[in-house]
């Protein structure tokens, strides 16, 4: 796996500016910088993107599937609602790791279900921004191995 797309959904552009008790103080740019370094050390290129729009995320997942890039996806609130994202992941064949900063299971009931977990290669949540680093490690380690 030579290319990994890191895709971020709605409101994650606000990271580090609001609700630090839930989401921490790091910005998305901080996370991007750290991941770029770790990926570079492993000889992997990173494309890092954020959108507030469901259809844009669908397009990016399809793109990753077409070119065989792995995906680290924090779909934000669309995690809990989006059949379109689920269909994009399943239909594109992209290897996707679902990530969340917070432990969604320790939060409101409506965050306990994910539309996308079942079609993702793995799920990492609750480790703050470290969830992204762990997802990168998981994606690199799982590259080329079948789902278990
Ligand atoms: O824990 C996560 O990573 C979430 O995907 C974050 C989403 C939330 O809807 C999911 O249930 C869990 C929310 C992202 C919004 O991020 C903000 C960051 C700072 C200030 C306001 C929102």
């Amino acid at each position: 796996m030579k290319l990994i797309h890191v895709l971020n959904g709605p409101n994650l552009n606000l990271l580090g500016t609001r609700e630090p008790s839930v989401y921490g103080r790091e910005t998305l740019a901080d996370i991007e910088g750290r991941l770029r370094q770790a990926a570079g050390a492993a000889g992997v290129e990173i494309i890092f993107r954020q959108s507030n729009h469901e259809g844009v995320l669908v397009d990016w997942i399809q793109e990753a599937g077409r070119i065989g890039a792995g995906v680290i996806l924090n779909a934000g609130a669309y995690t809990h609602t989006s059949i379109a994202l689920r269909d994009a992941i399943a239909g594109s064949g992209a290897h996707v790791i679902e990530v969340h900063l917070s432990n969604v299971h320790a939060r409101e009931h409506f965050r306990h279900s994910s539309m996308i977990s079942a079609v993702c290669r793995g799920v990492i949540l609750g480790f703050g921004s470290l969830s992204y680093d762990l997802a990168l490690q998981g994606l690199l380690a799982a590259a080329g191995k079948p789902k278990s």
Side-chain angles (χ1 to χ4, degrees), residues 53-81:
H53 304 281
E54 189 175 17
V56 173
L57 293 165
V58 167
D59 287 343
W60 288 343
I61 290 164
Q62 289 185 6
E63 179 189 332
R66 262 196 314 273
I67 62 178
V71 178
I72 295 170
L73 174 64
N74 187 345
Y78 288 141
T79 303
H80 316 296
T81 62

PDB file of all heavy atoms in Angstrom, residues 53-81:
ATOM      1  N   HIS A  53     -19.505  17.769   3.365  1.00  0.00           N
ATOM      2  CA  HIS A  53     -20.550  17.348   2.428  1.00  0.00           C
ATOM      3  C   HIS A  53     -20.489  15.835   2.159  1.00  0.00           C
ATOM      4  O   HIS A  53     -19.454  15.306   1.743  1.00  0.00           O
ATOM      5  CB  HIS A  53     -20.421  18.131   1.128  1.00  0.00           C
ATOM      6  CG  HIS A  53     -20.462  19.615   1.348  1.00  0.00           C
ATOM      7  ND1 HIS A  53     -21.638  20.300   1.548  1.00  0.00           N
ATOM      8  CD2 HIS A  53     -19.463  20.520   1.503  1.00  0.00           C
ATOM      9  CE1 HIS A  53     -21.376  21.579   1.779  1.00  0.00           C
ATOM     10  NE2 HIS A  53     -20.056  21.735   1.759  1.00  0.00           N
ATOM     11  N   GLU A  54     -21.614  15.184   2.374  1.00  0.00           N
ATOM     12  CA  GLU A  54     -21.697  13.725   2.264  1.00  0.00           C
ATOM     13  C   GLU A  54     -21.267  13.221   0.878  1.00  0.00           C
ATOM     14  O   GLU A  54     -20.479  12.268   0.759  1.00  0.00           O
ATOM     15  CB  GLU A  54     -23.144  13.304   2.558  1.00  0.00           C
ATOM     16  CG  GLU A  54     -23.366  11.826   2.706  1.00  0.00           C
ATOM     17  CD  GLU A  54     -24.817  11.540   3.122  1.00  0.00           C
ATOM     18  OE1 GLU A  54     -25.688  12.431   2.985  1.00  0.00           O
ATOM     19  OE2 GLU A  54     -25.067  10.417   3.578  1.00  0.00           O
ATOM     20  N   GLY A  55     -21.782  13.875  -0.167  1.00  0.00           N
ATOM     21  CA  GLY A  55     -21.486  13.424  -1.532  1.00  0.00           C
ATOM     22  C   GLY A  55     -20.009  13.550  -1.877  1.00  0.00           C
ATOM     23  O   GLY A  55     -19.463  12.731  -2.644  1.00  0.00           O
ATOM     24  N   VAL A  56     -19.368  14.565  -1.331  1.00  0.00           N
ATOM     25  CA  VAL A  56     -17.927  14.738  -1.576  1.00  0.00           C
ATOM     26  C   VAL A  56     -17.166  13.566  -0.947  1.00  0.00           C
ATOM     27  O   VAL A  56     -16.241  13.010  -1.555  1.00  0.00           O
ATOM     28  CB  VAL A  56     -17.443  16.094  -1.013  1.00  0.00           C
ATOM     29  CG1 VAL A  56     -15.927  16.207  -1.093  1.00  0.00           C
ATOM     30  CG2 VAL A  56     -18.112  17.244  -1.750  1.00  0.00           C
ATOM     31  N   LEU A  57     -17.584  13.172   0.259  1.00  0.00           N
ATOM     32  CA  LEU A  57     -16.941  12.025   0.919  1.00  0.00           C
ATOM     33  C   LEU A  57     -17.163  10.750   0.097  1.00  0.00           C
ATOM     34  O   LEU A  57     -16.256   9.924  -0.052  1.00  0.00           O
ATOM     35  CB  LEU A  57     -17.480  11.870   2.345  1.00  0.00           C
ATOM     36  CG  LEU A  57     -17.095  13.011   3.294  1.00  0.00           C
ATOM     37  CD1 LEU A  57     -17.962  12.986   4.554  1.00  0.00           C
ATOM     38  CD2 LEU A  57     -15.622  12.960   3.667  1.00  0.00           C
ATOM     39  N   VAL A  58     -18.373  10.595  -0.457  1.00  0.00           N
ATOM     40  CA  VAL A  58     -18.666   9.442  -1.329  1.00  0.00           C
ATOM     41  C   VAL A  58     -17.699   9.444  -2.521  1.00  0.00           C
ATOM     42  O   VAL A  58     -17.090   8.420  -2.853  1.00  0.00           O
ATOM     43  CB  VAL A  58     -20.132   9.482  -1.816  1.00  0.00           C
ATOM     44  CG1 VAL A  58     -20.359   8.482  -2.951  1.00  0.00           C
ATOM     45  CG2 VAL A  58     -21.092   9.197  -0.666  1.00  0.00           C
ATOM     46  N   ASP A  59     -17.539  10.606  -3.158  1.00  0.00           N
ATOM     47  CA  ASP A  59     -16.624  10.702  -4.322  1.00  0.00           C
ATOM     48  C   ASP A  59     -15.207  10.299  -3.921  1.00  0.00           C
ATOM     49  O   ASP A  59     -14.523   9.584  -4.661  1.00  0.00           O
ATOM     50  CB  ASP A  59     -16.588  12.137  -4.862  1.00  0.00           C
ATOM     51  CG  ASP A  59     -17.865  12.519  -5.602  1.00  0.00           C
ATOM     52  OD1 ASP A  59     -18.625  11.611  -5.981  1.00  0.00           O
ATOM     53  OD2 ASP A  59     -18.089  13.731  -5.802  1.00  0.00           O
ATOM     54  N   TRP A  60     -14.752  10.767  -2.768  1.00  0.00           N
ATOM     55  CA  TRP A  60     -13.367  10.484  -2.336  1.00  0.00           C
ATOM     56  C   TRP A  60     -13.174   8.996  -2.018  1.00  0.00           C
ATOM     57  O   TRP A  60     -12.110   8.439  -2.287  1.00  0.00           O
ATOM     58  CB  TRP A  60     -13.011  11.344  -1.125  1.00  0.00           C
ATOM     59  CG  TRP A  60     -12.810  12.794  -1.457  1.00  0.00           C
ATOM     60  CD1 TRP A  60     -12.602  13.351  -2.680  1.00  0.00           C
ATOM     61  CD2 TRP A  60     -12.784  13.882  -0.511  1.00  0.00           C
ATOM     62  NE1 TRP A  60     -12.457  14.709  -2.564  1.00  0.00           N
ATOM     63  CE2 TRP A  60     -12.565  15.060  -1.258  1.00  0.00           C
ATOM     64  CE3 TRP A  60     -12.926  13.976   0.872  1.00  0.00           C
ATOM     65  CZ2 TRP A  60     -12.474  16.318  -0.646  1.00  0.00           C
ATOM     66  CZ3 TRP A  60     -12.834  15.219   1.474  1.00  0.00           C
ATOM     67  CH2 TRP A  60     -12.614  16.381   0.721  1.00  0.00           C
ATOM     68  N   ILE A  61     -14.199   8.367  -1.427  1.00  0.00           N
ATOM     69  CA  ILE A  61     -14.088   6.927  -1.128  1.00  0.00           C
ATOM     70  C   ILE A  61     -14.022   6.139  -2.443  1.00  0.00           C
ATOM     71  O   ILE A  61     -13.209   5.226  -2.610  1.00  0.00           O
ATOM     72  CB  ILE A  61     -15.275   6.462  -0.251  1.00  0.00           C
ATOM     73  CG1 ILE A  61     -15.138   7.052   1.159  1.00  0.00           C
ATOM     74  CG2 ILE A  61     -15.339   4.934  -0.184  1.00  0.00           C
ATOM     75  CD1 ILE A  61     -16.404   6.982   1.984  1.00  0.00           C
ATOM     76  N   GLN A  62     -14.881   6.517  -3.401  1.00  0.00           N
ATOM     77  CA  GLN A  62     -14.845   5.841  -4.706  1.00  0.00           C
ATOM     78  C   GLN A  62     -13.492   6.005  -5.380  1.00  0.00           C
ATOM     79  O   GLN A  62     -12.935   5.062  -5.954  1.00  0.00           O
ATOM     80  CB  GLN A  62     -15.938   6.397  -5.621  1.00  0.00           C
ATOM     81  CG  GLN A  62     -17.335   5.996  -5.220  1.00  0.00           C
ATOM     82  CD  GLN A  62     -18.371   6.468  -6.232  1.00  0.00           C
ATOM     83  OE1 GLN A  62     -18.034   6.999  -7.299  1.00  0.00           O
ATOM     84  NE2 GLN A  62     -19.632   6.290  -5.916  1.00  0.00           N
ATOM     85  N   GLU A  63     -12.950   7.213  -5.295  1.00  0.00           N
ATOM     86  CA  GLU A  63     -11.632   7.495  -5.894  1.00  0.00           C
ATOM     87  C   GLU A  63     -10.564   6.589  -5.272  1.00  0.00           C
ATOM     88  O   GLU A  63      -9.757   5.983  -5.986  1.00  0.00           O
ATOM     89  CB  GLU A  63     -11.279   8.975  -5.662  1.00  0.00           C
ATOM     90  CG  GLU A  63      -9.926   9.385  -6.203  1.00  0.00           C
ATOM     91  CD  GLU A  63      -9.531  10.795  -5.745  1.00  0.00           C
ATOM     92  OE1 GLU A  63     -10.425  11.642  -5.480  1.00  0.00           O
ATOM     93  OE2 GLU A  63      -8.314  11.051  -5.650  1.00  0.00           O
ATOM     94  N   ALA A  64     -10.581   6.492  -3.941  1.00  0.00           N
ATOM     95  CA  ALA A  64      -9.591   5.656  -3.245  1.00  0.00           C
ATOM     96  C   ALA A  64      -9.735   4.195  -3.685  1.00  0.00           C
ATOM     97  O   ALA A  64      -8.737   3.506  -3.918  1.00  0.00           O
ATOM     98  CB  ALA A  64      -9.768   5.786  -1.735  1.00  0.00           C
ATOM     99  N   GLY A  65     -10.974   3.730  -3.818  1.00  0.00           N
ATOM    100  CA  GLY A  65     -11.211   2.348  -4.248  1.00  0.00           C
ATOM    101  C   GLY A  65     -10.656   2.103  -5.654  1.00  0.00           C
ATOM    102  O   GLY A  65     -10.018   1.084  -5.903  1.00  0.00           O
ATOM    103  N   ARG A  66     -10.901   3.072  -6.562  1.00  0.00           N
ATOM    104  CA  ARG A  66     -10.436   2.939  -7.959  1.00  0.00           C
ATOM    105  C   ARG A  66      -8.930   2.796  -8.045  1.00  0.00           C
ATOM    106  O   ARG A  66      -8.410   2.013  -8.838  1.00  0.00           O
ATOM    107  CB  ARG A  66     -10.863   4.181  -8.758  1.00  0.00           C
ATOM    108  CG  ARG A  66     -12.119   4.014  -9.573  1.00  0.00           C
ATOM    109  CD  ARG A  66     -12.285   5.106 -10.617  1.00  0.00           C
ATOM    110  NE  ARG A  66     -12.039   6.449 -10.130  1.00  0.00           N
ATOM    111  CZ  ARG A  66     -12.952   7.236  -9.543  1.00  0.00           C
ATOM    112  NH1 ARG A  66     -14.172   6.790  -9.361  1.00  0.00           N
ATOM    113  NH2 ARG A  66     -12.626   8.465  -9.153  1.00  0.00           N
ATOM    114  N   ILE A  67      -8.206   3.581  -7.227  1.00  0.00           N
ATOM    115  CA  ILE A  67      -6.741   3.590  -7.370  1.00  0.00           C
ATOM    116  C   ILE A  67      -6.061   2.673  -6.352  1.00  0.00           C
ATOM    117  O   ILE A  67      -4.845   2.615  -6.278  1.00  0.00           O
ATOM    118  CB  ILE A  67      -6.185   5.033  -7.270  1.00  0.00           C
ATOM    119  CG1 ILE A  67      -6.479   5.649  -5.894  1.00  0.00           C
ATOM    120  CG2 ILE A  67      -6.747   5.902  -8.378  1.00  0.00           C
ATOM    121  CD1 ILE A  67      -5.916   7.047  -5.734  1.00  0.00           C
ATOM    122  N   GLY A  68      -6.864   1.969  -5.550  1.00  0.00           N
ATOM    123  CA  GLY A  68      -6.284   0.997  -4.614  1.00  0.00           C
ATOM    124  C   GLY A  68      -5.614   1.622  -3.400  1.00  0.00           C
ATOM    125  O   GLY A  68      -4.724   1.011  -2.802  1.00  0.00           O
ATOM    126  N   ALA A  69      -6.025   2.848  -3.057  1.00  0.00           N
ATOM    127  CA  ALA A  69      -5.467   3.484  -1.859  1.00  0.00           C
ATOM    128  C   ALA A  69      -6.219   3.001  -0.619  1.00  0.00           C
ATOM    129  O   ALA A  69      -7.439   2.768  -0.681  1.00  0.00           O
ATOM    130  CB  ALA A  69      -5.593   5.010  -1.967  1.00  0.00           C
ATOM    131  N   GLY A  70      -5.525   2.847   0.494  1.00  0.00           N
ATOM    132  CA  GLY A  70      -6.189   2.563   1.759  1.00  0.00           C
ATOM    133  C   GLY A  70      -6.839   3.839   2.273  1.00  0.00           C
ATOM    134  O   GLY A  70      -6.461   4.949   1.879  1.00  0.00           O
ATOM    135  N   VAL A  71      -7.823   3.686   3.147  1.00  0.00           N
ATOM    136  CA  VAL A  71      -8.543   4.858   3.653  1.00  0.00           C
ATOM    137  C   VAL A  71      -8.648   4.819   5.179  1.00  0.00           C
ATOM    138  O   VAL A  71      -9.019   3.793   5.756  1.00  0.00           O
ATOM    139  CB  VAL A  71      -9.980   4.939   3.060  1.00  0.00           C
ATOM    140  CG1 VAL A  71     -10.742   6.132   3.635  1.00  0.00           C
ATOM    141  CG2 VAL A  71      -9.945   5.018   1.543  1.00  0.00           C
ATOM    142  N   ILE A  72      -8.299   5.938   5.800  1.00  0.00           N
ATOM    143  CA  ILE A  72      -8.604   6.173   7.217  1.00  0.00           C
ATOM    144  C   ILE A  72      -9.752   7.174   7.204  1.00  0.00           C
ATOM    145  O   ILE A  72      -9.608   8.273   6.670  1.00  0.00           O
ATOM    146  CB  ILE A  72      -7.374   6.741   7.951  1.00  0.00           C
ATOM    147  CG1 ILE A  72      -6.251   5.704   7.967  1.00  0.00           C
ATOM    148  CG2 ILE A  72      -7.748   7.173   9.378  1.00  0.00           C
ATOM    149  CD1 ILE A  72      -4.907   6.246   8.447  1.00  0.00           C
ATOM    150  N   LEU A  73     -10.898   6.766   7.748  1.00  0.00           N
ATOM    151  CA  LEU A  73     -12.110   7.599   7.615  1.00  0.00           C
ATOM    152  C   LEU A  73     -12.690   7.960   8.972  1.00  0.00           C
ATOM    153  O   LEU A  73     -13.106   7.077   9.731  1.00  0.00           O
ATOM    154  CB  LEU A  73     -13.165   6.829   6.803  1.00  0.00           C
ATOM    155  CG  LEU A  73     -14.555   7.474   6.689  1.00  0.00           C
ATOM    156  CD1 LEU A  73     -14.499   8.799   5.926  1.00  0.00           C
ATOM    157  CD2 LEU A  73     -15.546   6.512   6.005  1.00  0.00           C
ATOM    158  N   ASN A  74     -12.701   9.250   9.276  1.00  0.00           N
ATOM    159  CA  ASN A  74     -13.538   9.744  10.371  1.00  0.00           C
ATOM    160  C   ASN A  74     -14.727  10.431   9.714  1.00  0.00           C
ATOM    161  O   ASN A  74     -14.617  11.576   9.256  1.00  0.00           O
ATOM    162  CB  ASN A  74     -12.777  10.719  11.283  1.00  0.00           C
ATOM    163  CG  ASN A  74     -13.617  11.091  12.501  1.00  0.00           C
ATOM    164  OD1 ASN A  74     -14.830  10.861  12.526  1.00  0.00           O
ATOM    165  ND2 ASN A  74     -12.990  11.675  13.508  1.00  0.00           N
ATOM    166  N   ALA A  75     -15.830   9.720   9.645  1.00  0.00           N
ATOM    167  CA  ALA A  75     -17.002  10.230   8.930  1.00  0.00           C
ATOM    168  C   ALA A  75     -17.827  11.195   9.779  1.00  0.00           C
ATOM    169  O   ALA A  75     -18.877  11.663   9.334  1.00  0.00           O
ATOM    170  CB  ALA A  75     -17.864   9.071   8.454  1.00  0.00           C
ATOM    171  N   GLY A  76     -17.337  11.498  11.002  1.00  0.00           N
ATOM    172  CA  GLY A  76     -18.080  12.417  11.861  1.00  0.00           C
ATOM    173  C   GLY A  76     -19.498  11.916  12.076  1.00  0.00           C
ATOM    174  O   GLY A  76     -19.748  10.706  12.170  1.00  0.00           O
ATOM    175  N   ALA A  77     -20.446  12.846  12.110  1.00  0.00           N
ATOM    176  CA  ALA A  77     -21.836  12.468  12.386  1.00  0.00           C
ATOM    177  C   ALA A  77     -22.450  11.605  11.278  1.00  0.00           C
ATOM    178  O   ALA A  77     -23.412  10.871  11.526  1.00  0.00           O
ATOM    179  CB  ALA A  77     -22.672  13.725  12.600  1.00  0.00           C
ATOM    180  N   TYR A  78     -21.883  11.653  10.061  1.00  0.00           N
ATOM    181  CA  TYR A  78     -22.410  10.793   8.986  1.00  0.00           C
ATOM    182  C   TYR A  78     -22.226   9.310   9.310  1.00  0.00           C
ATOM    183  O   TYR A  78     -22.904   8.458   8.741  1.00  0.00           O
ATOM    184  CB  TYR A  78     -21.738  11.109   7.653  1.00  0.00           C
ATOM    185  CG  TYR A  78     -22.149  12.430   7.047  1.00  0.00           C
ATOM    186  CD1 TYR A  78     -21.215  13.246   6.410  1.00  0.00           C
ATOM    187  CD2 TYR A  78     -23.466  12.859   7.086  1.00  0.00           C
ATOM    188  CE1 TYR A  78     -21.577  14.461   5.848  1.00  0.00           C
ATOM    189  CE2 TYR A  78     -23.843  14.071   6.528  1.00  0.00           C
ATOM    190  CZ  TYR A  78     -22.889  14.867   5.905  1.00  0.00           C
ATOM    191  OH  TYR A  78     -23.256  16.064   5.356  1.00  0.00           O
ATOM    192  N   THR A  79     -21.284   9.011  10.223  1.00  0.00           N
ATOM    193  CA  THR A  79     -21.093   7.631  10.688  1.00  0.00           C
ATOM    194  C   THR A  79     -22.424   7.008  11.087  1.00  0.00           C
ATOM    195  O   THR A  79     -22.683   5.835  10.804  1.00  0.00           O
ATOM    196  CB  THR A  79     -20.199   7.637  11.957  1.00  0.00           C
ATOM    197  OG1 THR A  79     -18.971   8.270  11.641  1.00  0.00           O
ATOM    198  CG2 THR A  79     -19.977   6.244  12.506  1.00  0.00           C
ATOM    199  N   HIS A  80     -23.235   7.800  11.770  1.00  0.00           N
ATOM    200  CA  HIS A  80     -24.446   7.275  12.407  1.00  0.00           C
ATOM    201  C   HIS A  80     -25.668   7.311  11.498  1.00  0.00           C
ATOM    202  O   HIS A  80     -26.718   6.794  11.859  1.00  0.00           O
ATOM    203  CB  HIS A  80     -24.734   8.081  13.688  1.00  0.00           C
ATOM    204  CG  HIS A  80     -23.492   8.330  14.497  1.00  0.00           C
ATOM    205  ND1 HIS A  80     -22.769   7.310  15.072  1.00  0.00           N
ATOM    206  CD2 HIS A  80     -22.819   9.477  14.796  1.00  0.00           C
ATOM    207  CE1 HIS A  80     -21.712   7.821  15.704  1.00  0.00           C
ATOM    208  NE2 HIS A  80     -21.725   9.136  15.546  1.00  0.00           N
ATOM    209  N   THR A  81     -25.520   7.925  10.325  1.00  0.00           N
ATOM    210  CA  THR A  81     -26.715   8.161   9.492  1.00  0.00           C
ATOM    211  C   THR A  81     -26.582   7.736   8.033  1.00  0.00           C
ATOM    212  O   THR A  81     -27.596   7.595   7.351  1.00  0.00           O
ATOM    213  CB  THR A  81     -27.056   9.672   9.461  1.00  0.00           C
ATOM    214  OG1 THR A  81     -25.947  10.384   8.868  1.00  0.00           O
ATOM    215  CG2 THR A  81     -27.331  10.217  10.851  1.00  0.00           C
TER     216      THR A  81
END
